[in-house]
Structures are given as C-alpha cells and as structure tokens.
Amino acid sequence: MDKRVQNGEDRESTPETWLELLMRFTPASIALAAVLATVSSMGLSQKPDNQINPQSIQWQKAGEAARRAGNLNGATDALESALAVDPRNRAAYVELAEVARAQGLQGKAIRLYKEALLLDPTDVVALAGQGEAMMEKGAVARAKDVLAQAQKLCKADCAPVAHLSAAIAKGPPAVAMTDKVPPAPNKAPTETP
C-alpha cells in the first residue's frame, strides 16, 4: 500500500513529501539564481559609448592629432593608451587602424577594424575601412563582400561606402598583385651527425 495514502487519508503534507520536494527543486533553483546573478552583474558592468572614460577620449584626440601631423609612432602610442584606459573606445580602434594602414600594415588594420566592429557591428566607417584595407592587401573578393554589407547598413549616400566602392573599382595596388617571394639563398648542404 502507498505510504501517502493510509486509512483513506491523503498525507501529502508529511515532512517526507516536503523534503522530497525541497531536494528535487534545490539544484534547479541554485542554478537559476547563479544565472540571474551573472546576467544582472553583466548589465551593471557595461556602459554605453557616451560613457567612455574621458581620459581615453583625450588620448584618442592626441593620437588623431599626431597622425595628422605625420607622427605615426606617437599616434600609435597615444591610441594604445586610449584603449588601455577604456577598451570600449571604438573610435580609438578605428583611428589606430588608420595609422596601421598608413604604416603599410594592412593585416593589423583589418584586425583593428574587426575589434571596432565587435563593439558595434553597424559601424559603417569601420566596415568600409576594413574593406579598403582588404583591397590594399589584394583581397578583392572579401572587399566586395564587405562593400555589400556596408551598402546594406547605409541606405543613403555614405562617404565611407563611396570611398570603398571607388577603391574596389580602382583595383588592388600593383604591389599587392606582383608580390614575389625572393629566392632562397644558396646554402651548402650540411652533414648530419
């Protein structure tokens, strides 16, 4: 005979039943509490772009001024300082990518634009800059894909999209198309012991 029903009575309020319920739902409630605590703390730690640390913005402005003056190393130092102060400064990533492109480091520029796009995937300036860096590197097909993405984001006439479109129409630079690996120097074969 069932323990819960004795002499025709329903014994669901017995301590055994409450204990069973407590043991059944405790792990699930602990897991739910942990998830809620994690989600709520993530929301508190994230700030919108308009709350970027002012010191980071000052470093960014100094980096922009240094780049315009032609001091690319000084610009890199200032922009890296801006990102050290506040890694959410998307404009500093874009400006640092511009400095990398001016130094001929298109691969680095593409990665920096990607960092900016991770912060805001709808940043048309970063997307178009990434496409231009791809063109400078000779990756025409990828640049065309980026252009299509940028055109979807910017319905009206956008200067960054127009620049990327013009860069694609112009084609990759001749250096990217004729890059040749120099021959390896002749070495005498070495003996193995």
Side-chain angles (χ1 to χ4, degrees):
M1 189 166 168
D2 191 9
K3 287 184 179 181
R4 288 187 230 161
V5 180
Q6 291 179 354
N7 300 332
E9 292 180 20
D10 190 9
R11 294 189 140 245
E12 287 189 32
S13 61
T14 62
E16 292 175 347
T17 307
W18 286 106
L19 184 60
E20 288 174 359
L21 283 173
L22 181 67
M23 289 186 337
R24 184 176 299 147
F25 292 110
T26 298
S29 60
I30 290 173
L32 181 62
V35 167
L36 289 175
T38 303
V39 170
S40 66
S41 68
M42 285 184 349
L44 293 174
S45 65
Q46 294 178 351
K47 297 178 186 175
D49 279 351
N50 62 358
Q51 293 181 2
I52 290 176
N53 189 319
Q55 189 177 12
S56 176
I57 294 173
Q58 288 175 344
W59 280 111
Q60 173 198 333
K61 301 275 186 216
E64 290 171 0
R67 181 179 69 88
R68 284 192 300 272
N71 181 2
L72 299 180
N73 289 332
T76 299
D77 291 342
L79 293 165
E80 286 176 350
S81 296
L83 291 171
V85 171
D86 193 343
R88 295 173 300 111
N89 189 342
R90 187 178 69 246
Y93 279 112
V94 172
E95 188 65 27
L96 191 56
E98 291 294 321
V99 172
R101 282 179 58 200
Q103 292 172 327
L105 304 171
Q106 281 70 25
K108 181 179 179 180
I110 291 168
R111 286 189 302 275
L112 289 166
Y113 285 125
K114 184 177 180 179
E115 291 293 327
L117 290 168
L118 287 174
L119 293 171
D120 181 9
T122 63
D123 187 345
V124 177
V125 174
L127 196 58
Q130 186 182 45
E132 288 183 48
M134 288 174 179
M135 278 303 297
E136 292 165 2
K137 197 163 174 73
V140 179
R142 290 183 62 200
K144 288 180 180 179
D145 292 341
V146 170
L147 176 63
Q149 285 179 307
Q151 287 172 333
K152 286 179 188 175
L153 291 173
C154 192
K155 302 293 183 196
D157 289 334
C158 292
V161 175
H163 289 292
L164 176 56
S165 182
I168 290 173
K170 186 173 122 180
V175 174
M177 293 173 50
T178 62
D179 253 358
K180 293 182 181 177
V181 178
N186 292 333
K187 290 185 179 181
T190 57
E191 294 181 24
T192 57

